[in-house]
Amino acid sequence: MPVLQRPAALVTLVRSSSGTSLTPSQPAIAAKYPYQVDLKAGKRYAWCACGHSKKQPFCDGSHKTATPGISPLRFQLDEDKSAWLCGCKRTKTPPFCDGTHKEKFVQEAELSGQP
């Protein structure tokens, strides 16, 4: 019987002033609330997963330089729908909000690009 091996964890090499370390890429918290959007059936969307896009909640390509290890989530719907898309980038049901933004760690966090 063949032995199944678990895949290695995905990590991104991050270069710091002290050298190279293995650190998983973490998305930035773009907002402490979800974005209400009207989505059209059949249209392709790219939800920003890195948190750095200036066109939240959608991708503008910022991940290519800000967090190369994180790509947008591409999706399309079968029917028109009004939806709440995650702004904190910590949802367990991407791209849709699951209420994680209400958690203390999100509410107390500094937002990306803000002091």
Side-chain angles (χ1 to χ4, degrees):
M1 184 181 266
V3 176
L4 298 176
Q5 295 182 356
R6 291 185 179 171
L10 296 176
V11 295
T12 301
L13 285 175
V14 177
R15 212 172 269 289
S16 67
S17 58
S18 62
T20 302
S21 63
L22 288 175
T23 310
S25 291
Q26 283 292 321
I29 294 175
K32 296 179 182 183
Y33 53 84
Y35 296 91
Q36 186 176 21
V37 295
D38 292 321
L39 303 170
K40 300 294 180 194
K43 183 175 177 180
R44 294 176 190 220
Y45 295 95
W47 174 73
C48 170
C50 76
H52 293 280
S53 174
K54 301 291 186 236
K55 296 182 177 183
Q56 291 294 334
F58 301 109
C59 178
D60 69 359
S62 295
H63 64 278
K64 294 174 186 172
T65 54
T67 53
I70 300 176
S71 297
L73 175 75
R74 290 173 170 72
F75 71 99
Q76 68 182 41
L77 300 177
D78 294 326
E79 57 187 40
D80 290 358
K81 178 180 179 179
S82 180
W84 293 92
L85 299 186
C86 178
C88 74
K89 311 306 175 185
R90 300 302 193 275
T91 182
K92 291 176 181 60
T93 58
F96 304 103
C97 175
D98 69 357
T100 301
H101 65 276
K102 297 174 187 174
E103 299 288 330
K104 184 176 180 180
F105 80 95
V106 173
Q107 290 302 310
E108 292 180 352
E110 289 186 16
L111 295 179
S112 174
Q114 295 183 8

